[in-house]
Amino acid sequence: MAKALSIEQIYKKKFDVFNFEGEWAASFGQPETNGVWLVYGLSGHGKTSFNMQLSRYLCSFKRVQYNTLEEGARKSFRDAMQRNNMHLAKYRFSINSEDYDDLLKRIENRKGHRIIVVDSLQYLGITKSEYRQLKRKAIQHKKLIIFVSHARGRKPLGALAEFVEYDADVKIRVEGFTAFVKSRYGGGADYIIWSEGAAKYWNKIKATHARRHHQHHHP
């Protein structure tokens, strides 16, 4: 049986955190460097660009492995990398395509990357118990897994993705080139992925709402 901790011991416990600054701190606070995060959203709303921007920023702290099961090293993926200046991350960013077994080995490898982005949860095709195993190993080996998920409307797609959203330390919903961040570590400000695209999208939404409101009150 695990030894119980006193209040004093918990208060004195040291946690390894990312010392986020600027807009990243405003959105994420000071998150722990291990555990699970979830990024989800509909296609065409800036999810890949956000993952690139986040990965590039995280590369300033630790090495990032991008597990692209979905796009692989295809042109669309390369274009997203170029658009978001991934060359600035240099050797700290690398790409591969691994299944559950290889991913588990990578997490257990002490010398491996400290941050692993899995794109996507649906393509990884794991069970709830396999997810729990990945999370447990990530915390044990002081690693962070960022799962990327498809969405249905404003919710992650599928029972496992919904469970991961409930379980994750940081949840990021991407819509209209804006990342809406819910973090257990503070922050909470929206992160703008692409300002021109975001302005166009949200202005259009506002105009549609205003038009509907007007029609409702002035038949």
Side-chain angles (χ1 to χ4, degrees), residues 118 124 126:
V118 178
L124 187 61
I126 56 171

Side-chain angles (χ1 to χ4, degrees), residues 93-121:
F93 182 79
S94 57
I95 300 151
N96 70 354
S97 189
E98 292 180 334
D99 62 13
Y100 170 75
D101 294 327
D102 289 335
L103 182 57
L104 194 59
K105 279 182 203 143
R106 183 171 293 282
I107 291 166
E108 289 172 333
N109 179 1
R110 292 183 184 282
K111 291 180 181 172
H113 292 71
R114 312 305 301 179
I115 302 163
I116 298 159
V117 180
V118 178
D119 189 0
S120 66
L121 186 61

